[in-house]
Each structure stands twice: as C-alpha cells, then as structure tokens.
C-alpha cells in the first residue's frame, strides 16, 4: 500500500512541482480545496516516503505527470441507465476504447476545442470514476483486483458526438481524443480512504445546473470485474488509467440535445475525491501566414 492517502501533484508557491499527500481541514474531502501538502520523495509506484516538509499549493496539476502515465483505457456503456438512454442493449463484455495521453489535463485547465471540432454541434460532457493502477497486473482475479489499485480520481471524458459517431468510422477515439479532452483530478484518493468504489455519488454540473447525478452502484461492470477482465492476456502497468464509463444524463441522451458551448463551465464531482472544474474554450482558426 502507498504511504500516502490523498495524492496530489501541484505547483508550489516556491515555483517547484511536487507530488504530495494533501492536508485537508477536518470534515473536508474535496481535494480541490487543498492548500498545503506533505512533499513525497521517491517513486509513487515504488519506494517513496511522505516527508515532514509541508509546501503551500499554488495550483493543482493533473494528478500524474505525463511520463508516469502508461495508457488511458476507457469503458463505454458501463452504466445501466446510460445504456437505456442511448437505446442500446446492455453489453455482454466491457466496451473498451483508448484515449491518447495528450488528451489528459489538469483539474482546472481549460477544455480547448479545436476549429475542426466546431464545424458541427455535439460537444458533450461525461463524468467518470477513474481507477489508477498501482502495480503490474495480469490475469488477476476479481477477488484480488483492488489490490492492484493505487487509487481513484474523477474525470470528464469530453466527447464530440459527430466525430465519435458520424465521422468516426466506427471507432470512438477520434471524437474523444482531442488535446485536453480528459481533465481529471483533483488528486488520487487511495483505497485506505475509499474502501468500496461501488457506493460513490457521481455528478456533473453545467453552468451550475446538475445534468448528471448517479451512483457508481449503477455500473454494469464494477471496478473488480473491470480490472480482472482487462488484465486477461493484457498486462496492466503502474500508471495505467481506467476510465470506467459515464452515468445517464449526457447531452446526447436528452431531448432536445444539450451541447457544451464556448465559455461554459463544467464541473464533475465524485464523492470522497472532489470536484474538477473546467471552462470550455473554442480556439480560433489561426490566420494563414503570408
């Protein structure tokens, strides 16, 4: 088990970037409110120690540095009510796709929307419980699956439905893999704190209005089942992220549709972990160079 309970990666007021164990006020569980952390030295996936050095947090960053991330695996259609709103049968096996690590961003970073993703409507939100693998896993049982988890985070699997479906050629990754379209954080809460990942409230707010509100108990394939399945013949590595699907309430499933637009503020929240808050920013087409 890691020596830390609530891992954050942050820019300190001294200008340095650290991994740290968040210090929260009594009764506060939202890691977005972290103001101080005990600096961690060593390998967060191996030998490390939580030091007595306390640093002031200037800015929370994506919980893992890009060089510490291996893959970003994602599940589609993993909440029963979400499958129902999509008009699709419950999957027999987990529906897997990948996002590039360049889609990852921090808990307060803007969500950049490239001009190619502005050609048609369809920009959507998806709150998701993220599982971070802490040690190498292959062919693990469901009973032992949680032993391989470093911890849990909340993320927004930003999606463009036109590029995902109509223009995706049957593959989802194109419509979900744009730069900065996987903000997550605000940190990683370990199994020392979250004993059961299947009892957590999960939600999304768009400009202050709740648009998704569910519980991880509605997952079709729970975290144990997901890790066990994905490790069959496929080695999971420390630093692999598993996004475990979104609940009902997405913009695509509404009538009329509800799409994110330039300037929108979207918040995704997971009980026991905290809130990731991002602003949608439409990029302007760069002027042609003479």
């Amino acid at each position: 088990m890691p020596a830390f309970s609530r891992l954050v990666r942050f820019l300190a007021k001294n200008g340095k970037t650290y991994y740290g164990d968040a210090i929260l006020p009594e009764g506060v569980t939202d890691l977005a409110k972290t103001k101080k952390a005990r600096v961690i030295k060593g390998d967060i996936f191996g030998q490390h120690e939580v030091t007595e050095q306390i640093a002031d947090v200037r800015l929370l960053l994506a919980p893992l540095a890009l060089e510490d991330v291996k893959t970003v695996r994602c599940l589609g259609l993993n909440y029963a009510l979400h499958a129902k709103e999509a008009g699709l049968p419950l999957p027999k096996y987990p529906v897997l796709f990948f996002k590039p690590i360049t889609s990852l961003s921090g808990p307060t970073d803007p969500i950049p929307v490239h001009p190619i993703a502005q050609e048609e409507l369809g920009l959507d939100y998806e709150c998701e419980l993220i599982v971070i693998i802490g040690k190498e896993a292959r062919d693990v049982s469901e009973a032992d699956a949680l032993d391989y988890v470093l911890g849990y985070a909340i993320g927004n699997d930003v999606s463009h439905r036109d590029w995902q479906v109509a223009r995706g050629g049957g593959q989802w990754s194109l419509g979900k893999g744009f730069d900065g379209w996987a903000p997550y954080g605000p940190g990683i809460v370990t199994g020392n704190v979250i004993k059961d990942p299947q009892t957590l409230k999960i939600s999304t707010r768009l400009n202050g209005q709740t648009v998704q509100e569910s519980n991880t108990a509605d997952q079709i394939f729970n975290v144990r089942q997901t890790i066990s399945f994905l490790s069959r013949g496929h080695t999971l590595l420390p630093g692999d992220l598993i996004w475990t699907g979104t609940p009902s309430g997405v913009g695509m499933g509404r009538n009329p549709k509800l799409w994110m637009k330039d300037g929108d503020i979207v918040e995704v929240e997971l009980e026991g972990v905290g809130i990731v808050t991002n602003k949608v920013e439409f990029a302007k087409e760069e002027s042609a160079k003479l």
Side-chain angles (χ1 to χ4, degrees):
M1 296 293 288
F4 49 83
S5 295
R6 294 178 171 89
L7 179 71
V8 290
R9 186 171 145 273
F10 62 97
L11 176 65
K13 289 185 178 179
N14 64 10
K16 295 182 179 181
T17 298
Y18 299 106
Y19 279 113
D21 196 2
I23 300 171
L24 292 174
E26 179 107 20
V28 174
T29 59
D30 181 3
L31 282 174
K33 299 184 183 299
T34 304
K35 301 299 182 187
K36 295 178 181 292
R38 291 184 176 86
V39 172
I40 295 171
K41 291 187 177 179
D43 177 6
I44 58 169
F45 298 108
Q47 290 293 114
H48 63 271
E49 65 169 328
V50 179
T51 70
E52 293 302 312
Q53 178 186 352
I54 296 177
D56 292 315
V57 175
R58 180 192 298 175
L59 178 68
L60 289 175
L61 307 173
L64 295 181
L66 278 186
E67 58 266 27
D68 290 331
V69 178
K70 297 302 187 295
T71 63
V72 183
R73 288 171 165 87
C74 307
L75 297 192
L77 296 174
N78 195 35
Y79 281 74
L81 291 176
H82 177 49
K84 182 178 179 181
E85 74 177 351
L88 296 169
L90 298 187
K92 184 177 179 181
Y93 302 103
V95 178
L96 178 67
F97 64 94
F98 288 75
K99 291 178 79 128
I101 63 170
T102 47
S103 66
L104 296 173
S105 63
T108 60
D109 290 342
I111 298 170
V113 182
H114 190 277
I116 199 173
Q118 299 175 33
E119 296 172 354
E120 299 289 344
L121 296 174
L123 188 64
D124 213 344
Y125 50 81
E126 291 192 2
C127 60
E128 303 206 9
L129 162 69
I130 303 167
V131 178
I132 297 88
I133 296 298
K135 61 182 180 179
E136 187 172 306
R138 189 174 190 274
D139 293 329
V140 304
S141 68
E142 291 181 17
D144 295 334
L146 297 188
D147 295 341
Y148 296 84
V149 173
L150 181 75
Y152 308 95
I154 177 71
N156 188 349
D157 177 17
V158 180
S159 308
H160 195 289
R161 303 308 184 184
D162 192 56
W163 279 105
Q164 179 188 350
V165 182
R167 305 186 188 189
Q171 300 290 330
W172 289 359
S173 294
L174 185 61
K176 289 172 169 281
F178 286 93
D179 289 352
W181 280 26
Y184 75 116
I188 296 170
V189 179
T190 69
N192 294 328
V193 178
I194 295 179
K195 306 292 187 185
D196 183 358
Q198 303 308 143
T199 61
L200 305 175
K201 297 175 184 176
I202 187 169
S203 61
T204 301
R205 289 181 294 278
L206 184 62
N207 299 321
Q209 295 295 117
T210 298
V211 289
Q212 288 184 286
E213 191 169 22
S214 187
N215 191 291
T216 54
D218 189 47
Q219 288 185 341
I220 298 166
F221 303 101
N222 64 32
V223 171
R224 289 181 183 274
Q225 292 169 323
T226 296
I227 293 171
S228 178
F229 178 82
L230 293 181
S231 74
R232 293 178 190 169
H234 297 74
T235 301
L236 303 178
L237 296 173
D240 279 350
L241 306 184
I242 303 173
W243 294 56
T244 60
T246 197
S248 59
V250 297
M252 178 180 63
R254 293 171 173 268
N255 188 15
K257 311 296 186 191
L258 177 62
W259 306 127
M260 294 192 295
K261 58 188 184 301
D262 190 26
D264 280 354
I265 304 295
V266 58
E267 303 166 88
V268 292
E269 181 173 3
L270 181 66
E271 182 181 4
V273 173
I275 304 171
V276 166
T277 303
N278 309 95
K279 183 179 180 180
V280 177
E281 291 188 358
F282 278 31
K284 293 179 172 58
E285 191 79 65
E286 291 184 18
S287 300
K289 295 180 180 179
L290 298 177

